[in-house]
Amino acid sequence: MVTTAQTIIISGYYGFRNSGDEAVLKSILTALEEESRQAGITVKPVVLSSDPAWTEKMYGVEAVPRMSLGEVRRAIKNSDGLISGGGSLLQDATSPKSIPYYLAILKLAQWAGKPTFVYAQGIGPVQRKIFYPMIRSVFQRCEYVSVRDKQSAALLGSMKLKSPTVEVVPDPVMGLPLPSDSGQAHKAATELNQDELPTIGVSVRYWDKEHRDLTAIADGLKKLAAGRRVHLRFFPFHLPDDEQASRMVIDLLGDIRGTGSRVSISDQVTDPQQMLLEVSRCSLMIGMRLHSLIYAASHQVPPLGISYDPKIDHFLSRVGSQPVGTAEALDGHKLAVEAMRLLDERNQWIESQGAAIALLKSEARLPAQHIINYLCRKG
């Protein structure tokens, strides 16, 4: 029986105020808290963050600077284990520095004799095969490895990872609950949309250097607003870039009030559960950001994804969908047609995917269950 608090370090892309990654952190913290309470033990999380003060204020947990080697080593030394994840940490598409950093954190914990756990990560793309043996070496010393899609598991298999067994689980955010004050916020959201137009969530980001993707999205939204009276509500998931991208699309839309439609933007929302609540009020989510689509699907809002990365395709396939187009090739007319179709068939989509979504929400807690069970056995 574990009688003292178990300190767990959590390593990931935290403290950058990216709503998707912050939602991952909140989901992990929530799952660990609930599973540890059921097991009758106490877990003390310590988060490696780029902004420890902000992380501590947002989540009420201890945090240390992720790039301070001395503080990270001290935190690991005083811990009972380390979680790496979730999110797309081990990939070299955005930077060749990501994989060495996250592997180094795991390695520090392993050198200190601490158990290490990989929590629902999306592995890849890994374009530099020099990283393959590095990933294999570190992962083989982990107590538990879980990934968020079968493609990630297959990539680890191609690296000849022999142990431990890799478990495929949903993204942690599938298990994120609405905030406890959602009733009051629900009333506020209803007052925001007093005209009772169907709310179309829109999540965009910068990707194409010439902004052809954003231009096509604006064209599709303009056609949608001309064909249906809707409320286009933009959700910036990564500040400030996504807010700038959103305002670019809004400018490209022009004045659509003559169609009876309206446009708004969700300003400066950094609390992941508040963002989740707003998304749950939508009738449809048109999204480039992965977690905008996960937020939507987890609360039975049909997702219409625009792919810029295989992770978008992988998630959509799990909820019976496929991208309407890619950031490199998107047709605005098709976007509008598919949006109107999903609005018309929203109830059918919910009915057909309801069981799959419920299963994903349940399975999102599996990594936390494994970690808590391990701590109970070793305690």
Side-chain angles (χ1 to χ4, degrees):
M1 179 68 179
V2 180
T3 56
T4 58
Q6 302 285 290
T7 300
I8 299 295
I9 309 298
I10 304 179
S11 167
Y13 191 74
Y14 305 133
F16 294 93
R17 310 192 190 194
N18 180 324
S19 183
D21 290 289
E22 297 303 329
V24 168
L25 175 57
K26 179 64 176 179
S27 300
I28 293 174
L29 292 172
T30 301
L32 288 174
E33 181 182 6
E34 293 188 0
E35 295 299 329
S36 62
R37 184 170 60 248
Q38 291 180 19
I41 69 171
T42 301
V43 169
K44 176 188 175 185
V46 177
V47 178
L48 305 187
S49 171
S50 70
D51 189 343
W54 182 84
T55 296
E56 290 182 350
K57 182 179 179 181
M58 176 63 71
Y59 304 108
V61 299
E62 184 179 340
V64 299
R66 71 196 298 269
M67 298 305 292
S68 172
L69 178 60
E71 293 194 60
V72 170
R73 290 181 66 180
R74 278 192 294 274
I76 289 173
K77 180 182 178 181
N78 296 323
S79 76
D80 296 285
L82 181 139
I83 291 171
S84 179
S88 303
L89 306 183
L90 297 184
Q91 52 81 25
D92 59 2
T94 58
S95 170
K97 298 178 181 179
S98 295
I99 293 175
Y101 169 79
Y102 291 110
L103 290 180
I105 298 296
L106 280 163
K107 198 68 177 175
L108 284 173
Q110 292 171 354
W111 282 340
K114 308 298 182 180
T116 51
F117 313 94
V118 175
Y119 199 120
Q121 284 197 28
I123 311 297
V126 182
Q127 300 163 347
R128 299 164 178 84
K129 292 198 174 182
I130 190 175
F131 289 136
Y132 278 29
M134 298 167 61
I135 295 171
R136 180 176 65 245
S137 173
V138 173
F139 273 36
Q140 285 183 167
R141 294 189 60 187
C142 291
E143 302 297 333
Y144 171 74
V145 173
S146 59
V147 295
R148 70 184 180 195
D149 51 59
K150 61 184 180 181
Q151 292 81 7
S152 294
L155 180 56
L156 289 177
S158 73
M159 297 178 191
K160 304 295 190 286
L161 178 66
K162 296 179 180 178
S163 63
T165 301
V166 177
E167 185 169 37
V168 178
V169 297
D171 187 286
V173 178
M174 284 298 298
L176 183 64
L178 292 171
S180 57
D181 61 346
S182 58
Q184 183 177 357
H186 176 90
K187 180 180 178 182
T190 302
E191 292 172 353
L192 177 69
N193 196 21
Q194 291 179 341
D195 46 17
E196 297 184 352
L197 298 176
T199 300
I200 311 300
V202 184
S203 165
V204 295
R205 60 164 297 164
Y206 288 127
W207 189 255
D208 180 68
K209 292 181 180 179
E210 298 179 14
H211 305 313
R212 289 168 295 189
D213 46 0
L214 300 184
T215 301
I217 290 169
D219 178 55
L221 294 177
K222 188 181 295 186
K223 287 181 167 64
L224 171 61
R228 297 285 179 90
R229 294 179 64 248
V230 293
H231 174 192
L232 300 176
R233 179 100 169 136
F234 285 77
F235 296 101
F237 271 69
H238 189 251
L239 300 173
D241 291 358
D242 287 9
E243 182 174 355
Q244 295 168 3
S246 296
R247 295 196 183 281
M248 175 180 288
V249 175
I250 291 171
D251 288 342
L252 290 169
L253 275 172
D255 189 351
I256 63 170
R257 287 175 296 179
T259 66
S261 295
R262 61 189 293 251
V263 179
S264 67
I265 187 168
S266 180
D267 284 324
Q268 301 294 315
V269 178
T270 55
D271 185 314
Q273 285 182 296
Q274 292 301 321
M275 181 73 89
L276 176 66
L277 179 62
E278 285 214 39
V279 171
S280 74
R281 293 280 299 145
C282 294
S283 299
L284 172 69
M285 169 57 72
I286 298 173
M288 293 180 73
R289 287 288 185 188
L290 172 64
H291 284 99
S292 72
L293 303 172
I294 293 176
Y295 275 26
S298 68
H299 285 79
Q300 299 190 334
V301 175
L304 188 57
I306 299 161
S307 180
Y308 69 92
D309 185 283
K311 65 186 180 184
I312 303 293
D313 307 65
H314 298 163
F315 172 72
L316 289 174
S317 68
R318 301 188 78 170
V319 292
S321 300
Q322 60 183 9
V324 67
T326 67
E328 292 77 18
L330 178 64
D331 181 272
H333 176 72
K334 182 180 179 182
L335 176 65
V337 169
E338 284 298 301
M340 285 188 273
R341 181 187 67 80
L342 273 176
L343 282 174
D344 290 337
E345 300 176 4
R346 183 172 184 269
N347 290 337
Q348 292 94 311
W349 183 87
I350 292 173
E351 184 177 350
S352 66
Q353 298 303 318
I357 290 169
L359 181 61
L360 290 174
K361 289 169 74 74
S362 174
E363 291 179 343
R365 297 299 178 91
L366 289 175
Q369 292 171 10
H370 279 281
I371 294 167
I372 297 302
N373 288 340
Y374 177 90
L375 295 176
C376 288
R377 291 196 306 271
K378 297 299 180 180

